[in-house]
Amino acid sequence: MADPVAWYDANFETVVAQYEALSSDAVHGWIRDLLPKGSATILDVGAGSGRDAAWLAAKGHDVVAVEPSASLRTAGASMHARAPVRWIDDRLPALAKVSKIGVSFDLILLSAVWMHLAAGDRPRAFRKIVNLLKPGGLLAITLRDGPVDHARGIHQVFLEEVEDLARDHGAFVERHAEARDHLGRDNVRWIQLAIRLPDDGTGALPLLRHVILNDDKSSTYKLALLRTLCRLAEGAAGFARDHDDDFIAVPLGLVALTWLRLFKPLLSANLPQHPRNVGLQRLGFVKDGYRRLADVSHQNMRVGITFSGEHGAALHRALKDAANTIARMPATHISYPNGSPVFPILRSGRAYRPSQIKLDDAYLYDFGKMLVPRHLWKALRRFSAWVEPALVSEWSRLIHSYAASQKIQVDGETIASSMA
């Protein structure tokens, strides 16, 4: 497959003539009502001749135009010299120069660009774009539905692929439209997607996205804690208690129980959760109690069930070990910039070994409380349908990465079934 930039450099005069013959208002009329109101920061990736960048700048927006073709970039900057557009020589999937300017964007326009990315580069490219969007920001992307063109570096693209990427990054498709080719090619149509990053206005969703997509991770523990809380917010909100004006409290025992239920099928499938763990090694909560539960299904470790005898003692020990690991690791290291934990833990200080345990409210609170900021709890309850797929996707990506570094063969189907 040829480098598309080389083709555009060689054919820029024809390309410029074609682009400038079309009206931006006509080409992008499908998102006219979704454009930011007032002055906004906009990124035009693959800006070409600058037609769209100049159009957006004329509406009062601050526009950054990214174009890797030197010929197109020079022609566009000259042709639209009066438009207050900042031109940058950069390209997907890295967008390294744009990332360094430290600006987040209200709108990112990706018009007739996606088909120039090889399939293997698209996940990285999408992650980069999402990280450049402001909370509540919009990605307007057009997908070329037409034949592959090796000479121009044009690959086949799929609507479902982009929808999956949006879901995996906690975004949603706000609008889906289709249009004929404005250059009159009968074998080409365009799929138009407006993809929105949800924002509840409290800062909760940006914080969650940061931990999921960008925060340093030495294991899958941070993702596991967030998915645990997501599961509790969606299915066990009745266990939550008011703590104060800023926090609600959830039983630490229930956090530990859900943590074990999430990890058990993954570890049974020998899916690595740490860059250097082999089997169950290096996982702080996998001790004697957990190992003695080998014949207990995670499906049976649920609220309301009573355990006695060896299984009761083993589960009690496993819950204590899980609670200790959660408190020491993810609950400590998911923190605000000032170092204070996002999810403080209050331990009960009780130490006893019951002969029989019932997984009810009283028993689960005996382990202590995890405090969850109210705005985060509300966001998890309202937006779990967007947050949890992003967690699952990133957790799966880490497993693939750890497996590759340890030369372990894993397949996506095993990961998916263990995550379900």
Side-chain angles (χ1 to χ4, degrees):
M1 187 73 70
D3 181 6
V5 176
W7 186 92
Y8 282 106
D9 275 331
N11 297 275
F12 78 96
E13 291 179 340
T14 300
V15 171
V16 168
Q18 288 177 336
Y19 286 3
E20 293 297 323
L22 300 174
S23 159
S24 294
D25 203 54
V27 173
H28 301 299
W30 69 282
I31 55 164
R32 192 180 300 114
D33 62 321
L34 298 180
L35 293 176
K37 306 297 188 288
S39 180
T41 54
I42 296 178
L43 178 66
D44 184 3
V45 180
S49 66
R51 177 198 67 199
D52 299 333
W55 172 65
L56 292 165
K59 295 179 179 295
H61 302 304
D62 295 323
V63 182
V64 175
V66 169
E67 178 50 59
S69 164
S71 299
L72 282 179
R73 197 169 59 251
T74 301
S78 174
M79 189 175 305
H80 300 286
R82 294 187 178 183
V85 173
R86 178 178 179 180
W87 287 86
I88 295 181
D89 175 12
D90 207 353
R91 67 188 295 179
L92 287 169
L95 285 182
K97 294 179 182 178
V98 175
S99 299
K100 289 180 180 178
I101 67 177
V103 175
S104 295
F105 298 92
D106 299 285
L107 171 69
I108 296 179
L109 181 62
L110 207 66
S111 179
V113 172
W114 194 249
M115 74 276 194
H116 289 307
L117 289 167
D121 290 331
R122 292 172 195 160
R124 181 187 178 198
F126 199 93
R127 175 187 289 259
K128 182 65 67 172
I129 291 166
V130 166
N131 285 336
L132 289 170
L133 271 178
K134 290 181 180 179
L138 189 74
L139 166 63
I141 179 172
T142 60
L143 311 178
R144 182 182 182 274
D145 181 14
V148 170
D149 188 334
H150 292 276
R152 295 182 59 187
I154 293 177
H155 303 261
Q156 189 173 12
V157 299
F158 303 95
L159 168 63
E160 295 77 12
E161 174 191 44
V162 179
E163 289 176 329
D164 288 345
L165 285 170
R167 185 182 65 249
D168 291 346
H169 289 79
F172 66 95
V173 176
E174 183 169 329
R175 178 169 297 168
H176 172 196
E178 297 191 14
R180 62 177 178 81
D181 181 58
H182 288 279
L183 296 177
R185 292 168 293 189
D186 293 333
N187 61 345
V188 174
R189 288 185 60 80
W190 294 92
I191 300 170
Q192 302 159 321
L193 297 176
I195 297 172
R196 180 82 68 180
L197 269 188
D199 182 27
D200 63 350
T202 69
L205 291 176
L207 174 60
L208 290 170
R209 274 194 295 270
H210 172 74
V211 175
I212 296 169
L213 299 176
N214 301 321
D215 209 6
D216 290 336
K217 302 178 186 71
S218 57
S219 70
T220 60
Y221 282 1
K222 289 181 180 179
L223 299 175
L225 178 55
L226 290 184
R227 193 181 182 203
T228 292
L229 293 175
C230 199
R231 294 274 82 218
L232 298 185
E234 185 176 36
F239 280 85
R241 298 176 182 174
D242 285 326
H243 181 73
D244 58 25
D245 290 343
D246 298 321
F247 292 96
I248 63 95
V250 294
L252 183 57
L254 183 57
V255 175
L257 178 66
T258 308
W259 170 280
L260 291 177
R261 293 191 68 193
L262 290 178
F263 270 110
K264 208 167 192 299
L266 296 171
L267 300 185
S268 295
N270 201 33
L271 298 172
Q273 305 300 311
H274 185 281
R276 294 176 299 281
N277 78 283
V278 178
L280 304 182
Q281 296 176 25
R282 293 184 179 270
L283 299 178
F285 65 94
V286 178
K287 297 182 178 179
D288 184 63
Y290 181 92
R291 292 188 175 92
R292 290 178 180 272
L293 296 172
D295 61 340
V296 177
S297 168
H298 67 287
Q299 301 283 10
N300 292 329
M301 295 163 55
R302 60 184 190 275
V303 171
I305 299 295
T306 298
F307 288 81
S308 58
E310 292 186 7
H311 282 157
L315 180 56
H316 181 73
R317 183 71 255 174
L319 289 171
K320 289 187 68 174
D321 292 335
N324 289 335
T325 296
I326 293 166
R328 189 177 68 254
M329 300 298 289
T332 295
H333 296 295
I334 298 177
S335 60
Y336 294 108
N338 65 3
S340 61
V342 176
F343 305 110
I345 287 181
L346 304 178
R347 306 302 291 266
S348 69
R350 301 179 187 177
Y352 68 99
R353 192 181 186 89
S355 58
Q356 177 176 284
I357 62 173
K358 183 177 182 181
L359 299 175
D360 59 10
D361 185 281
Y363 172 75
L364 296 170
Y365 265 109
D366 272 340
F367 290 86
K369 302 174 183 177
M370 174 171 282
L371 304 185
V372 182
R374 286 185 176 276
H375 69 298
L376 275 177
W377 184 251
K378 184 177 180 180
L380 288 172
R381 293 199 66 187
R382 291 179 59 196
F383 300 108
S384 63
W386 295 325
V387 174
E388 186 162 14
L391 285 165
V392 170
S393 175
E394 183 64 10
W395 196 340
S396 301
R397 189 190 67 81
L398 282 184
I399 291 174
H400 276 292
S401 172
Y402 297 160
S405 69
Q406 298 171 50
K407 296 181 172 56
I408 299 173
Q409 293 294 322
V410 300
D411 63 88
E413 192 171 314
T414 300
I415 294 176
S417 63
S418 301
M419 282 282 182

